[in-house]
Amino acid sequence: MKDNKGVVQIMTIPDYQSLLLPFLKHLSNGKEHTKQEMIDLLATDFKLTSAERKELLPSGRQKVFDNRVSWTRTYLKKALLLQSPARGRYTITDRGRQVLTENLSKIDVSYLKQFPEFVTFLNTSKNNNKTPVNKRVARAESKDTPEEILEASYQILRHNLAQELLSKVIECSPAFFENLVVELLLKMGYGGSRKDAGQAIGKTGDGGIDGIIKEDRLGLDVVYIQAKRWEGTVSRPEIQKFVGALQGKKARKGIFITTGFFSSYARDYVKDIQNSVVLIDGEELSSYMIDFGVGVSPLASYEIMSIDSDYFMDEQ
């Protein structure tokens, strides 16, 4: 998009505090509006693209913009600037109209804290939450929604765990690493029985192939594997050697696993060959280990609940 001077402006998804005033203004006509109507109106206000409207939170379960609009609605409602006369419908209150007469340039959490009902909402401590009030308020004033803060924290914890996990794997003996690969592939659905898989890895020693594992429990096809504990770069010649070994066995599928990383030439090479070869570097290896519970154990679990609208359908 260009401004009136012809300068290209890059639009981003607005944070929920930036949505507070526009949301309230759209209710100023006194009519009832649904959640989807507000999402559409605000998306138009901020000229969001289709891709921006479809962007998901890291969990992949909710759209970023929809989540921010939901929290905008919640904060305005807790400040008694809007009300909900029926499920999923919203109208402005007398207090909301009064706020609009101030001709504000923005509404944010700091502004909303003048309303005692909103402060009570911020300070409410449930389930023995012992976090100091000032810290809870500071989090509320963040531009990120609670879900975004939680998921960002999760991603940091996951990244740190992956780095620590990879360091541990690099320190392991070759035999332990082979067993780790077997365990991971079994968890991912390969290999048939544990006994069959264990016999396959590390036994062939045949021209660039470390092992063979069944693709499924029935053994309808096999996958050839090479697993290397390297800290450096795996270059294209190493992958070519592996592919050559596959062709010598008339094999179609292979997995090359390393604790290091692959050069761009190595990755480009596997895109242009007939064999189906998957490259798994150290970062991906540690990520898969976390996903499939290999070498890690749960420390804590948090379940986020939402309203079950179907449960309340009979009340309509």
Side-chain angles (χ1 to χ4, degrees), residues 196-210:
D196 290 342
Q199 291 175 341
I201 302 295
K203 300 302 182 183
T204 65
D206 186 2
I209 295 177
D210 289 339

Side-chain angles (χ1 to χ4, degrees), residues 14 65 73 80 96 110 120 139 163 168 177 187 210 231 260 272 276 285 293 312:
F65 185 64
R73 182 192 68 242
L80 302 188
S110 295
T120 299
R139 290 173 189 169
Q163 293 296 311
K168 288 284 188 183
F177 182 59
K187 288 288 187 71
D210 289 339
E231 294 190 51
D272 299 325
S276 179
L285 174 63
F312 296 96

Side-chain angles (χ1 to χ4, degrees), residues 227-245:
K228 298 295 184 184
R229 289 186 311 120
W230 286 2
E231 294 190 51
T233 304
V234 178
S235 59
R236 173 171 171 162
E238 291 296 328
I239 306 303
Q240 288 176 312
K241 185 189 300 183
F242 178 56
V243 171

Side-chain angles (χ1 to χ4, degrees), residues 245-257:
L246 292 179
Q247 294 172 343
K249 293 291 186 179
K250 296 182 179 179
R252 299 181 298 111
K253 301 174 183 178
I255 302 175
F256 196 118
I257 302 174

Side-chain angles (χ1 to χ4, degrees), residues 177-188:
F177 182 59
E178 290 172 1
N179 288 328
L180 184 155
V181 170
V182 170
E183 187 70 27
L184 177 59
L185 292 174
L186 283 171
K187 288 288 187 71
M188 295 175 73

Side-chain angles (χ1 to χ4, degrees), residues 32 73 77 82-91 93:
E32 291 186 6
R73 182 192 68 242
K77 186 175 181 180
L82 66 79
Q83 60 189 351
S84 181
R87 183 173 64 86
R89 293 183 173 276
Y90 314 101
T91 59
T93 62

Side-chain angles (χ1 to χ4, degrees), residues 188-229:
M188 295 175 73
Y190 292 95
S193 70
R194 180 67 176 81
K195 181 180 178 181
D196 290 342
Q199 291 175 341
I201 302 295
K203 300 302 182 183
T204 65
D206 186 2
I209 295 177
D210 289 339
I212 305 168
I213 197 166
K214 294 177 182 177
E215 186 176 23
D216 52 51
R217 291 184 178 274
L218 297 178
L220 296 176
D221 204 350
V222 295
V223 178
Y224 287 76
I225 300 163
Q226 187 157 55
K228 298 295 184 184
R229 289 186 311 120

Side-chain angles (χ1 to χ4, degrees), residues 8 24 38 56 104 106 122 135 150 185 189 205 246 256 261 269 274:
V8 176
L24 193 61
M38 296 307 299
L56 299 175
L104 300 168
K106 71 173 183 177
L122 289 184
K135 289 187 177 180
L150 181 61
L185 292 174
L246 292 179
F256 196 118
F261 53 94
Y269 171 70
Q274 292 183 342

